[in-house]
Amino acid sequence: MGRYQGLQLEGARQFRKALKEAGDDLSDLKDTHLEAAEIVAKASQGVVPRKSGALAASIRPAGTTTAGIVRAGKKAVPYANAIHWGRKMWPSTTATPAPPRQRHLAPIRPTYFITGPASQTEPQWVELYFTRVTQMTEKIERESQP
């Protein structure tokens, strides 16, 4: 499974600017991004590796005015990045002295538990974006006409 490259809306910056000029507070855009991130986060729950369940519990969606984001991991779950993207080497935890640690092989195969579901659910959230952007554009057009 390849790495997910993302979706970019050409003219997104100009679109946000037009929304602001029309008096919109961009909450619609923020809600749309959150909803798209929720679709991916829900799908991620089905494929995330589970031993204790802490990694699955750390998956959370977020929406900003510029992007929908799915995060995993936190201070108590620092290994989320390594489980998702994989790793080949790791500093030794038993090396002495402690600061200059020697690297050793510690392979973890990547699982892509967020990017995989993101690409699999792409038709759902792209349709959501298309619908919402169309609605917002029509709203701007209606409000700008005398």
Side-chain angles (χ1 to χ4, degrees), residues 101-131:
R101 297 182 174 172
Q102 294 180 3
R103 295 170 60 86
H104 65 279
L105 286 174
I108 296 176
R109 281 205 160 126
T111 58
Y112 305 119
F113 61 88
I114 293 175
T115 54
S119 62
Q120 292 166 355
T121 59
E122 186 173 1
Q124 293 172 359
W125 51 263
V126 167
E127 180 63 31
L128 173 72
Y129 277 121
F130 180 76
T131 303

PDB file of all heavy atoms in Angstrom, residues 101-131:
ATOM      1  N   ARG A 101      23.772   7.289  22.479  1.00  0.00           N
ATOM      2  CA  ARG A 101      23.339   5.894  22.388  1.00  0.00           C
ATOM      3  C   ARG A 101      23.655   5.330  21.014  1.00  0.00           C
ATOM      4  O   ARG A 101      23.614   6.041  20.020  1.00  0.00           O
ATOM      5  CB  ARG A 101      21.841   5.795  22.664  1.00  0.00           C
ATOM      6  CG  ARG A 101      21.516   6.229  24.070  1.00  0.00           C
ATOM      7  CD  ARG A 101      20.069   6.094  24.343  1.00  0.00           C
ATOM      8  NE  ARG A 101      19.835   6.396  25.746  1.00  0.00           N
ATOM      9  CZ  ARG A 101      18.653   6.505  26.275  1.00  0.00           C
ATOM     10  NH1 ARG A 101      17.590   6.333  25.534  1.00  0.00           N
ATOM     11  NH2 ARG A 101      18.512   6.778  27.541  1.00  0.00           N
ATOM     12  N   GLN A 102      23.935   4.068  20.966  1.00  0.00           N
ATOM     13  CA  GLN A 102      24.233   3.413  19.698  1.00  0.00           C
ATOM     14  C   GLN A 102      22.941   2.934  19.053  1.00  0.00           C
ATOM     15  O   GLN A 102      22.038   2.454  19.731  1.00  0.00           O
ATOM     16  CB  GLN A 102      25.147   2.218  19.931  1.00  0.00           C
ATOM     17  CG  GLN A 102      26.514   2.622  20.438  1.00  0.00           C
ATOM     18  CD  GLN A 102      27.394   1.407  20.651  1.00  0.00           C
ATOM     19  OE1 GLN A 102      27.019   0.285  20.368  1.00  0.00           O
ATOM     20  NE2 GLN A 102      28.591   1.653  21.174  1.00  0.00           N
ATOM     21  N   ARG A 103      22.889   3.090  17.741  1.00  0.00           N
ATOM     22  CA  ARG A 103      21.716   2.632  17.015  1.00  0.00           C
ATOM     23  C   ARG A 103      21.793   1.125  16.828  1.00  0.00           C
ATOM     24  O   ARG A 103      22.863   0.554  16.681  1.00  0.00           O
ATOM     25  CB  ARG A 103      21.644   3.333  15.669  1.00  0.00           C
ATOM     26  CG  ARG A 103      21.434   4.838  15.816  1.00  0.00           C
ATOM     27  CD  ARG A 103      21.592   5.572  14.508  1.00  0.00           C
ATOM     28  NE  ARG A 103      20.673   5.179  13.474  1.00  0.00           N
ATOM     29  CZ  ARG A 103      19.445   5.674  13.321  1.00  0.00           C
ATOM     30  NH1 ARG A 103      19.015   6.586  14.143  1.00  0.00           N
ATOM     31  NH2 ARG A 103      18.672   5.271  12.338  1.00  0.00           N
ATOM     32  N   HIS A 104      20.628   0.481  16.843  1.00  0.00           N
ATOM     33  CA  HIS A 104      20.568  -0.947  16.585  1.00  0.00           C
ATOM     34  C   HIS A 104      19.310  -1.249  15.768  1.00  0.00           C
ATOM     35  O   HIS A 104      18.375  -0.458  15.726  1.00  0.00           O
ATOM     36  CB  HIS A 104      20.559  -1.747  17.896  1.00  0.00           C
ATOM     37  CG  HIS A 104      19.346  -1.526  18.740  1.00  0.00           C
ATOM     38  ND1 HIS A 104      19.203  -0.441  19.570  1.00  0.00           N
ATOM     39  CD2 HIS A 104      18.213  -2.249  18.859  1.00  0.00           C
ATOM     40  CE1 HIS A 104      18.030  -0.509  20.182  1.00  0.00           C
ATOM     41  NE2 HIS A 104      17.405  -1.596  19.762  1.00  0.00           N
ATOM     42  N   LEU A 105      19.339  -2.381  15.100  1.00  0.00           N
ATOM     43  CA  LEU A 105      18.186  -2.772  14.292  1.00  0.00           C
ATOM     44  C   LEU A 105      16.986  -3.028  15.196  1.00  0.00           C
ATOM     45  O   LEU A 105      17.093  -3.731  16.200  1.00  0.00           O
ATOM     46  CB  LEU A 105      18.488  -4.033  13.489  1.00  0.00           C
ATOM     47  CG  LEU A 105      19.412  -3.849  12.292  1.00  0.00           C
ATOM     48  CD1 LEU A 105      19.741  -5.201  11.674  1.00  0.00           C
ATOM     49  CD2 LEU A 105      18.770  -2.951  11.255  1.00  0.00           C
ATOM     50  N   ALA A 106      15.874  -2.454  14.849  1.00  0.00           N
ATOM     51  CA  ALA A 106      14.620  -2.666  15.572  1.00  0.00           C
ATOM     52  C   ALA A 106      13.488  -2.480  14.574  1.00  0.00           C
ATOM     53  O   ALA A 106      12.731  -1.520  14.660  1.00  0.00           O
ATOM     54  CB  ALA A 106      14.505  -1.693  16.733  1.00  0.00           C
ATOM     55  N   PRO A 107      13.399  -3.392  13.602  1.00  0.00           N
ATOM     56  CA  PRO A 107      12.433  -3.166  12.514  1.00  0.00           C
ATOM     57  C   PRO A 107      10.976  -3.325  12.951  1.00  0.00           C
ATOM     58  O   PRO A 107      10.631  -4.217  13.698  1.00  0.00           O
ATOM     59  CB  PRO A 107      12.818  -4.233  11.491  1.00  0.00           C
ATOM     60  CG  PRO A 107      13.474  -5.304  12.277  1.00  0.00           C
ATOM     61  CD  PRO A 107      14.153  -4.625  13.435  1.00  0.00           C
ATOM     62  N   ILE A 108      10.169  -2.409  12.462  1.00  0.00           N
ATOM     63  CA  ILE A 108       8.716  -2.483  12.609  1.00  0.00           C
ATOM     64  C   ILE A 108       8.155  -2.229  11.216  1.00  0.00           C
ATOM     65  O   ILE A 108       8.491  -1.239  10.580  1.00  0.00           O
ATOM     66  CB  ILE A 108       8.175  -1.415  13.582  1.00  0.00           C
ATOM     67  CG1 ILE A 108       8.721  -1.649  14.990  1.00  0.00           C
ATOM     68  CG2 ILE A 108       6.654  -1.413  13.595  1.00  0.00           C
ATOM     69  CD1 ILE A 108       8.305  -0.580  15.986  1.00  0.00           C
ATOM     70  N   ARG A 109       7.331  -3.134  10.758  1.00  0.00           N
ATOM     71  CA  ARG A 109       6.726  -2.956   9.440  1.00  0.00           C
ATOM     72  C   ARG A 109       5.657  -1.869   9.511  1.00  0.00           C
ATOM     73  O   ARG A 109       4.891  -1.807  10.463  1.00  0.00           O
ATOM     74  CB  ARG A 109       6.073  -4.247   8.980  1.00  0.00           C
ATOM     75  CG  ARG A 109       7.051  -5.231   8.458  1.00  0.00           C
ATOM     76  CD  ARG A 109       6.328  -6.164   7.504  1.00  0.00           C
ATOM     77  NE  ARG A 109       7.298  -6.796   6.649  1.00  0.00           N
ATOM     78  CZ  ARG A 109       7.397  -8.103   6.514  1.00  0.00           C
ATOM     79  NH1 ARG A 109       6.573  -8.898   7.146  1.00  0.00           N
ATOM     80  NH2 ARG A 109       8.306  -8.599   5.717  1.00  0.00           N
ATOM     81  N   PRO A 110       5.576  -1.026   8.481  1.00  0.00           N
ATOM     82  CA  PRO A 110       4.534   0.011   8.483  1.00  0.00           C
ATOM     83  C   PRO A 110       3.145  -0.610   8.326  1.00  0.00           C
ATOM     84  O   PRO A 110       2.982  -1.616   7.631  1.00  0.00           O
ATOM     85  CB  PRO A 110       4.885   0.878   7.278  1.00  0.00           C
ATOM     86  CG  PRO A 110       5.746   0.030   6.419  1.00  0.00           C
ATOM     87  CD  PRO A 110       6.440  -0.944   7.315  1.00  0.00           C
ATOM     88  N   THR A 111       2.170  -0.017   9.001  1.00  0.00           N
ATOM     89  CA  THR A 111       0.796  -0.514   8.900  1.00  0.00           C
ATOM     90  C   THR A 111      -0.120   0.457   8.174  1.00  0.00           C
ATOM     91  O   THR A 111      -1.182   0.044   7.715  1.00  0.00           O
ATOM     92  CB  THR A 111       0.207  -0.780  10.298  1.00  0.00           C
ATOM     93  OG1 THR A 111       0.258   0.419  11.043  1.00  0.00           O
ATOM     94  CG2 THR A 111       0.958  -1.892  11.004  1.00  0.00           C
ATOM     95  N   TYR A 112       0.252   1.729   8.080  1.00  0.00           N
ATOM     96  CA  TYR A 112      -0.545   2.746   7.394  1.00  0.00           C
ATOM     97  C   TYR A 112      -2.008   2.710   7.851  1.00  0.00           C
ATOM     98  O   TYR A 112      -2.922   2.720   7.054  1.00  0.00           O
ATOM     99  CB  TYR A 112      -0.460   2.593   5.873  1.00  0.00           C
ATOM    100  CG  TYR A 112       0.943   2.601   5.336  1.00  0.00           C
ATOM    101  CD1 TYR A 112       1.454   1.512   4.645  1.00  0.00           C
ATOM    102  CD2 TYR A 112       1.760   3.709   5.524  1.00  0.00           C
ATOM    103  CE1 TYR A 112       2.748   1.520   4.145  1.00  0.00           C
ATOM    104  CE2 TYR A 112       3.051   3.730   5.019  1.00  0.00           C
ATOM    105  CZ  TYR A 112       3.544   2.635   4.337  1.00  0.00           C
ATOM    106  OH  TYR A 112       4.819   2.643   3.841  1.00  0.00           O
ATOM    107  N   PHE A 113      -2.213   2.645   9.158  1.00  0.00           N
ATOM    108  CA  PHE A 113      -3.576   2.519   9.681  1.00  0.00           C
ATOM    109  C   PHE A 113      -4.393   3.800   9.559  1.00  0.00           C
ATOM    110  O   PHE A 113      -5.599   3.783   9.811  1.00  0.00           O
ATOM    111  CB  PHE A 113      -3.583   2.011  11.126  1.00  0.00           C
ATOM    112  CG  PHE A 113      -2.873   2.902  12.118  1.00  0.00           C
ATOM    113  CD1 PHE A 113      -3.545   3.936  12.744  1.00  0.00           C
ATOM    114  CD2 PHE A 113      -1.544   2.676  12.432  1.00  0.00           C
ATOM    115  CE1 PHE A 113      -2.900   4.745  13.666  1.00  0.00           C
ATOM    116  CE2 PHE A 113      -0.897   3.479  13.349  1.00  0.00           C
ATOM    117  CZ  PHE A 113      -1.576   4.523  13.963  1.00  0.00           C
ATOM    118  N   ILE A 114      -3.779   4.913   9.149  1.00  0.00           N
ATOM    119  CA  ILE A 114      -4.549   6.129   8.872  1.00  0.00           C
ATOM    120  C   ILE A 114      -4.549   6.425   7.375  1.00  0.00           C
ATOM    121  O   ILE A 114      -5.601   6.693   6.795  1.00  0.00           O
ATOM    122  CB  ILE A 114      -4.010   7.342   9.657  1.00  0.00           C
ATOM    123  CG1 ILE A 114      -4.245   7.130  11.152  1.00  0.00           C
ATOM    124  CG2 ILE A 114      -4.683   8.636   9.204  1.00  0.00           C
ATOM    125  CD1 ILE A 114      -3.653   8.201  12.037  1.00  0.00           C
ATOM    126  N   THR A 115      -3.403   6.376   6.734  1.00  0.00           N
ATOM    127  CA  THR A 115      -3.348   6.715   5.314  1.00  0.00           C
ATOM    128  C   THR A 115      -4.059   5.679   4.438  1.00  0.00           C
ATOM    129  O   THR A 115      -4.619   6.037   3.400  1.00  0.00           O
ATOM    130  CB  THR A 115      -1.904   6.890   4.828  1.00  0.00           C
ATOM    131  OG1 THR A 115      -1.161   5.723   5.152  1.00  0.00           O
ATOM    132  CG2 THR A 115      -1.268   8.110   5.448  1.00  0.00           C
ATOM    133  N   GLY A 116      -4.049   4.429   4.848  1.00  0.00           N
ATOM    134  CA  GLY A 116      -4.780   3.396   4.099  1.00  0.00           C
ATOM    135  C   GLY A 116      -6.274   3.672   4.076  1.00  0.00           C
ATOM    136  O   GLY A 116      -6.880   3.773   3.004  1.00  0.00           O
ATOM    137  N   PRO A 117      -6.904   3.813   5.252  1.00  0.00           N
ATOM    138  CA  PRO A 117      -8.327   4.154   5.264  1.00  0.00           C
ATOM    139  C   PRO A 117      -8.631   5.508   4.615  1.00  0.00           C
ATOM    140  O   PRO A 117      -9.716   5.698   4.069  1.00  0.00           O
ATOM    141  CB  PRO A 117      -8.679   4.176   6.753  1.00  0.00           C
ATOM    142  CG  PRO A 117      -7.717   3.226   7.367  1.00  0.00           C
ATOM    143  CD  PRO A 117      -6.447   3.416   6.586  1.00  0.00           C
ATOM    144  N   ALA A 118      -7.689   6.446   4.666  1.00  0.00           N
ATOM    145  CA  ALA A 118      -7.913   7.742   4.013  1.00  0.00           C
ATOM    146  C   ALA A 118      -8.078   7.556   2.515  1.00  0.00           C
ATOM    147  O   ALA A 118      -8.968   8.150   1.902  1.00  0.00           O
ATOM    148  CB  ALA A 118      -6.760   8.708   4.301  1.00  0.00           C
ATOM    149  N   SER A 119      -7.249   6.726   1.914  1.00  0.00           N
ATOM    150  CA  SER A 119      -7.374   6.507   0.471  1.00  0.00           C
ATOM    151  C   SER A 119      -8.576   5.629   0.144  1.00  0.00           C
ATOM    152  O   SER A 119      -9.213   5.822  -0.891  1.00  0.00           O
ATOM    153  CB  SER A 119      -6.089   5.908  -0.102  1.00  0.00           C
ATOM    154  OG  SER A 119      -5.827   4.658   0.460  1.00  0.00           O
ATOM    155  N   GLN A 120      -8.922   4.693   1.032  1.00  0.00           N
ATOM    156  CA  GLN A 120     -10.074   3.824   0.777  1.00  0.00           C
ATOM    157  C   GLN A 120     -11.401   4.573   0.904  1.00  0.00           C
ATOM    158  O   GLN A 120     -12.361   4.258   0.205  1.00  0.00           O
ATOM    159  CB  GLN A 120     -10.055   2.626   1.722  1.00  0.00           C
ATOM    160  CG  GLN A 120      -8.919   1.675   1.438  1.00  0.00           C
ATOM    161  CD  GLN A 120      -8.691   0.683   2.560  1.00  0.00           C
ATOM    162  OE1 GLN A 120      -9.333   0.756   3.605  1.00  0.00           O
ATOM    163  NE2 GLN A 120      -7.774  -0.239   2.350  1.00  0.00           N
ATOM    164  N   THR A 121     -11.469   5.544   1.807  1.00  0.00           N
ATOM    165  CA  THR A 121     -12.702   6.300   2.008  1.00  0.00           C
ATOM    166  C   THR A 121     -12.728   7.595   1.193  1.00  0.00           C
ATOM    167  O   THR A 121     -13.628   8.402   1.355  1.00  0.00           O
ATOM    168  CB  THR A 121     -12.900   6.644   3.498  1.00  0.00           C
ATOM    169  OG1 THR A 121     -11.783   7.424   3.951  1.00  0.00           O
ATOM    170  CG2 THR A 121     -13.057   5.403   4.337  1.00  0.00           C
ATOM    171  N   GLU A 122     -11.747   7.772   0.338  1.00  0.00           N
ATOM    172  CA  GLU A 122     -11.653   9.004  -0.442  1.00  0.00           C
ATOM    173  C   GLU A 122     -12.935   9.356  -1.191  1.00  0.00           C
ATOM    174  O   GLU A 122     -13.354  10.511  -1.166  1.00  0.00           O
ATOM    175  CB  GLU A 122     -10.466   8.937  -1.400  1.00  0.00           C
ATOM    176  CG  GLU A 122     -10.217  10.225  -2.129  1.00  0.00           C
ATOM    177  CD  GLU A 122      -8.932  10.195  -2.941  1.00  0.00           C
ATOM    178  OE1 GLU A 122      -8.234   9.173  -2.950  1.00  0.00           O
ATOM    179  OE2 GLU A 122      -8.646  11.216  -3.577  1.00  0.00           O
ATOM    180  N   PRO A 123     -13.611   8.415  -1.832  1.00  0.00           N
ATOM    181  CA  PRO A 123     -14.845   8.799  -2.532  1.00  0.00           C
ATOM    182  C   PRO A 123     -15.888   9.433  -1.591  1.00  0.00           C
ATOM    183  O   PRO A 123     -16.581  10.364  -1.988  1.00  0.00           O
ATOM    184  CB  PRO A 123     -15.365   7.477  -3.108  1.00  0.00           C
ATOM    185  CG  PRO A 123     -14.157   6.621  -3.228  1.00  0.00           C
ATOM    186  CD  PRO A 123     -13.268   7.017  -2.097  1.00  0.00           C
ATOM    187  N   GLN A 124     -15.969   8.966  -0.352  1.00  0.00           N
ATOM    188  CA  GLN A 124     -16.951   9.507   0.593  1.00  0.00           C
ATOM    189  C   GLN A 124     -16.630  10.951   0.954  1.00  0.00           C
ATOM    190  O   GLN A 124     -17.496  11.829   0.891  1.00  0.00           O
ATOM    191  CB  GLN A 124     -16.980   8.673   1.877  1.00  0.00           C
ATOM    192  CG  GLN A 124     -17.488   7.282   1.697  1.00  0.00           C
ATOM    193  CD  GLN A 124     -17.315   6.458   2.956  1.00  0.00           C
ATOM    194  OE1 GLN A 124     -16.799   6.941   3.963  1.00  0.00           O
ATOM    195  NE2 GLN A 124     -17.753   5.214   2.908  1.00  0.00           N
ATOM    196  N   TRP A 125     -15.388  11.214   1.358  1.00  0.00           N
ATOM    197  CA  TRP A 125     -15.089  12.571   1.814  1.00  0.00           C
ATOM    198  C   TRP A 125     -14.863  13.546   0.667  1.00  0.00           C
ATOM    199  O   TRP A 125     -15.079  14.743   0.822  1.00  0.00           O
ATOM    200  CB  TRP A 125     -13.986  12.623   2.866  1.00  0.00           C
ATOM    201  CG  TRP A 125     -12.704  11.918   2.581  1.00  0.00           C
ATOM    202  CD1 TRP A 125     -12.338  10.681   2.996  1.00  0.00           C
ATOM    203  CD2 TRP A 125     -11.580  12.439   1.858  1.00  0.00           C
ATOM    204  NE1 TRP A 125     -11.066  10.390   2.559  1.00  0.00           N
ATOM    205  CE2 TRP A 125     -10.583  11.450   1.867  1.00  0.00           C
ATOM    206  CE3 TRP A 125     -11.329  13.634   1.197  1.00  0.00           C
ATOM    207  CZ2 TRP A 125      -9.353  11.624   1.239  1.00  0.00           C
ATOM    208  CZ3 TRP A 125     -10.104  13.808   0.575  1.00  0.00           C
ATOM    209  CH2 TRP A 125      -9.130  12.809   0.607  1.00  0.00           C
ATOM    210  N   VAL A 126     -14.492  13.063  -0.504  1.00  0.00           N
ATOM    211  CA  VAL A 126     -14.398  13.957  -1.666  1.00  0.00           C
ATOM    212  C   VAL A 126     -15.804  14.415  -2.057  1.00  0.00           C
ATOM    213  O   VAL A 126     -16.017  15.588  -2.373  1.00  0.00           O
ATOM    214  CB  VAL A 126     -13.674  13.279  -2.848  1.00  0.00           C
ATOM    215  CG1 VAL A 126     -13.861  14.060  -4.134  1.00  0.00           C
ATOM    216  CG2 VAL A 126     -12.197  13.135  -2.539  1.00  0.00           C
ATOM    217  N   GLU A 127     -16.762  13.495  -2.020  1.00  0.00           N
ATOM    218  CA  GLU A 127     -18.159  13.856  -2.305  1.00  0.00           C
ATOM    219  C   GLU A 127     -18.664  14.861  -1.280  1.00  0.00           C
ATOM    220  O   GLU A 127     -19.370  15.817  -1.620  1.00  0.00           O
ATOM    221  CB  GLU A 127     -19.043  12.598  -2.306  1.00  0.00           C
ATOM    222  CG  GLU A 127     -20.508  12.877  -2.582  1.00  0.00           C
ATOM    223  CD  GLU A 127     -20.768  13.458  -3.963  1.00  0.00           C
ATOM    224  OE1 GLU A 127     -20.025  13.142  -4.897  1.00  0.00           O
ATOM    225  OE2 GLU A 127     -21.731  14.242  -4.080  1.00  0.00           O
ATOM    226  N   LEU A 128     -18.300  14.679  -0.020  1.00  0.00           N
ATOM    227  CA  LEU A 128     -18.670  15.628   1.038  1.00  0.00           C
ATOM    228  C   LEU A 128     -18.111  17.013   0.716  1.00  0.00           C
ATOM    229  O   LEU A 128     -18.836  18.008   0.781  1.00  0.00           O
ATOM    230  CB  LEU A 128     -18.156  15.139   2.399  1.00  0.00           C
ATOM    231  CG  LEU A 128     -18.321  16.095   3.565  1.00  0.00           C
ATOM    232  CD1 LEU A 128     -19.777  16.186   3.983  1.00  0.00           C
ATOM    233  CD2 LEU A 128     -17.450  15.664   4.724  1.00  0.00           C
ATOM    234  N   TYR A 129     -16.815  17.077   0.379  1.00  0.00           N
ATOM    235  CA  TYR A 129     -16.198  18.355   0.028  1.00  0.00           C
ATOM    236  C   TYR A 129     -16.882  18.987  -1.187  1.00  0.00           C
ATOM    237  O   TYR A 129     -17.178  20.177  -1.196  1.00  0.00           O
ATOM    238  CB  TYR A 129     -14.706  18.197  -0.272  1.00  0.00           C
ATOM    239  CG  TYR A 129     -13.832  18.191   0.956  1.00  0.00           C
ATOM    240  CD1 TYR A 129     -13.015  17.113   1.242  1.00  0.00           C
ATOM    241  CD2 TYR A 129     -13.812  19.266   1.824  1.00  0.00           C
ATOM    242  CE1 TYR A 129     -12.213  17.107   2.366  1.00  0.00           C
ATOM    243  CE2 TYR A 129     -13.017  19.272   2.946  1.00  0.00           C
ATOM    244  CZ  TYR A 129     -12.215  18.188   3.210  1.00  0.00           C
ATOM    245  OH  TYR A 129     -11.430  18.195   4.320  1.00  0.00           O
ATOM    246  N   PHE A 130     -17.126  18.188  -2.200  1.00  0.00           N
ATOM    247  CA  PHE A 130     -17.745  18.714  -3.417  1.00  0.00           C
ATOM    248  C   PHE A 130     -19.110  19.323  -3.100  1.00  0.00           C
ATOM    249  O   PHE A 130     -19.429  20.423  -3.539  1.00  0.00           O
ATOM    250  CB  PHE A 130     -17.870  17.606  -4.466  1.00  0.00           C
ATOM    251  CG  PHE A 130     -18.490  18.073  -5.744  1.00  0.00           C
ATOM    252  CD1 PHE A 130     -17.763  18.835  -6.638  1.00  0.00           C
ATOM    253  CD2 PHE A 130     -19.803  17.759  -6.059  1.00  0.00           C
ATOM    254  CE1 PHE A 130     -18.326  19.282  -7.819  1.00  0.00           C
ATOM    255  CE2 PHE A 130     -20.378  18.209  -7.233  1.00  0.00           C
ATOM    256  CZ  PHE A 130     -19.635  18.968  -8.119  1.00  0.00           C
ATOM    257  N   THR A 131     -19.915  18.604  -2.331  1.00  0.00           N
ATOM    258  CA  THR A 131     -21.247  19.086  -1.969  1.00  0.00           C
ATOM    259  C   THR A 131     -21.166  20.374  -1.166  1.00  0.00           C
ATOM    260  O   THR A 131     -21.853  21.351  -1.458  1.00  0.00           O
ATOM    261  CB  THR A 131     -21.994  18.006  -1.161  1.00  0.00           C
ATOM    262  OG1 THR A 131     -22.043  16.806  -1.930  1.00  0.00           O
ATOM    263  CG2 THR A 131     -23.398  18.447  -0.817  1.00  0.00           C
TER     264      THR A 131
END
